[in-house]
């Protein structure tokens, strides 16, 4: 599954993630979905811990329903 937490590594000592060219990250917003961020990314959580993913694109949960927060697991989708 994309953005699986096993792809992420918790690391409190790593510096901020930057793209190879040193430019800005592209973030795509969706009305009822996750934020799609071009990776790799490093995210500082509320408790001060840091999680990192080296994937080329990650989906970040914005609804907080995800069991893998901060990674989106599509819990925001309505059940049919």
């Amino acid at each position: 599954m994309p953005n699986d937490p096993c792809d992420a590594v918790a690391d409190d000592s790593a510096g901020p993630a930057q793209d190879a060219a040193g430019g800005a990250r592209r973030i795509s917003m969706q009305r009822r979905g996750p934020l799609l961020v071009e990776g790799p990314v490093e995210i500082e959580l509320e408790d001060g811990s840091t999680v990192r993913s080296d994937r080329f694109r990650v989906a970040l949960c914005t609804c907080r329903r995800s069991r893998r927060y901060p990674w989106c697991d599509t819990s925001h989708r309505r059940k049919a």
Side-chain angles (χ1 to χ4, degrees):
M1 165 145 211
N3 303 320
D4 195 307
C6 64
D7 294 334
V9 177
D11 183 2
D12 293 328
S13 63
Q18 296 179 2
D19 68 0
R25 296 259 182 246
R26 179 177 303 268
I27 299 174
S28 302
M29 296 178 68
Q30 299 179 355
R31 179 178 282 263
R32 291 191 176 110
L35 289 175
L36 300 176
V37 182
E38 290 184 6
V41 298
E42 182 177 284
I43 302 163
E44 184 175 337
L45 302 176
E46 292 174 299
D47 65 1
S49 64
T50 303
V51 292
R52 179 177 171 85
S53 176
D54 291 327
R55 291 178 146 294
F56 70 95
R57 182 177 297 145
V58 295
L60 299 178
C61 177
T62 58
C63 70
R64 292 195 172 244
R65 294 179 194 155
S66 176
R67 292 183 188 155
R68 299 179 180 145
Y69 187 81
W71 317 115
C72 178
D73 67 0
T74 69
S75 294
H76 60 274
R77 294 183 183 166
R78 293 183 182 192
K79 306 295 183 220

